[in-house]
Amino acid sequence: MEGKCPRCGEKLAFDRTRGAFLYEGIVREIISLFKYQGQRKLSDFLATYLLEPLSELGNPDLLVPVPLHPVKRRSRGFSQTELLARSLSKLTGIPVRTPLIRVKNTRPQVKLAMRERKINVKGAFVLKAKEEVKGKRVLLIDDVMTTGHTLSEAARTLKRAGAISVFGLVVAIGSF
């Protein structure tokens, strides 16, 4: 998917994104087990399915997981995107960096109307380590993308810090 919202066609800040699956059926169930029921070992399994869509995105310099807000991370006990990024790194040798911090404790996007999603994530991310992304080709890792606004806001933050390009890679692309 090029850097546009799949629903409204709005230009988004990432250059392109790819997903391994549609967010439905068994894939939805597996992601739920991984994300909400602590089945952390599923990250290695899911990462293997990211290799094919990754091949369509060129050669990134680094993997950056879309971060959780610290409150959500403490509640869940882990970051599913960071686990995915680390599993993918083991398969590819592409280093993982965590320069983004989520400073806004956003409501879950899945519960919001399309218009509200962009507003919900606006200003959600800041960069703690600008030098890690300056002049780099960055690959953002997330579990699910629907409208692309979370990835876009993270990409905007990375590009402001000097990233050459920002692509998104997700396990599943959902319908809205």
Side-chain angles (χ1 to χ4, degrees), residues 51-114:
L51 293 173
E52 185 177 332
L54 170 61
S55 70
E56 300 173 29
L57 296 173
N59 297 310
D61 298 309
L62 51 102
L63 306 174
V64 173
V66 173
L68 289 175
H69 188 272
V71 170
K72 282 184 186 163
R73 185 179 179 128
R74 275 192 303 277
S75 171
R76 192 170 293 163
F78 66 99
S79 165
Q80 75 279 3
T81 58
E82 193 170 325
L83 289 177
L84 277 171
R86 295 203 184 284
S87 293
L88 186 59
S89 178
K90 283 190 276 184
L91 296 171
T92 63
I94 303 167
V96 175
R97 299 290 181 265
T98 56
L100 288 173
I101 300 170
R102 193 171 199 134
V103 293
K104 185 177 176 185
N105 193 3
T106 56
R107 296 184 302 174
Q109 293 284 80
V110 72
K111 296 179 180 182
L112 301 176
M114 190 168 58

Side-chain angles (χ1 to χ4, degrees), residues 10-25:
E10 175 188 350
K11 175 83 173 106
L12 299 173
F14 54 81
D15 297 287
R16 192 172 354 138
T17 192
R18 292 288 181 266
F21 302 103
L22 293 176
Y23 187 55
E24 59 189 23

Side-chain angles (χ1 to χ4, degrees), residues 3-62:
K4 292 184 179 180
C5 173
R7 301 290 169 251
C8 67
E10 175 188 350
K11 175 83 173 106
L12 299 173
F14 54 81
D15 297 287
R16 192 172 354 138
T17 192
R18 292 288 181 266
F21 302 103
L22 293 176
Y23 187 55
E24 59 189 23
I26 191 72
V27 171
R28 189 180 194 127
E29 291 174 35
I30 290 169
I31 290 172
S32 180
L33 287 170
F34 174 48
K35 190 172 178 176
Y36 301 116
Q37 295 181 28
Q39 300 295 315
R40 298 176 194 195
K41 292 194 184 267
L42 284 170
S43 68
D44 290 336
F45 171 74
L46 293 170
T48 63
Y49 290 97
L50 294 177
L51 293 173
E52 185 177 332
L54 170 61
S55 70
E56 300 173 29
L57 296 173
N59 297 310
D61 298 309
L62 51 102

Side-chain angles (χ1 to χ4, degrees), residues 88-141:
L88 186 59
S89 178
K90 283 190 276 184
L91 296 171
T92 63
I94 303 167
V96 175
R97 299 290 181 265
T98 56
L100 288 173
I101 300 170
R102 193 171 199 134
V103 293
K104 185 177 176 185
N105 193 3
T106 56
R107 296 184 302 174
Q109 293 284 80
V110 72
K111 296 179 180 182
L112 301 176
M114 190 168 58
R115 266 193 182 151
E116 295 173 304
R117 291 174 181 224
K118 182 177 179 180
I119 295 165
N120 188 46
V121 295
K122 186 163 180 59
F125 304 103
V126 297
L127 210 60
K128 67 178 177 183
K130 186 176 185 175
E131 66 282 351
E132 288 186 342
V133 299
K134 189 172 184 178
K136 304 286 187 194
R137 295 166 300 185
V138 177
L139 184 62
L140 276 169
I141 305 295

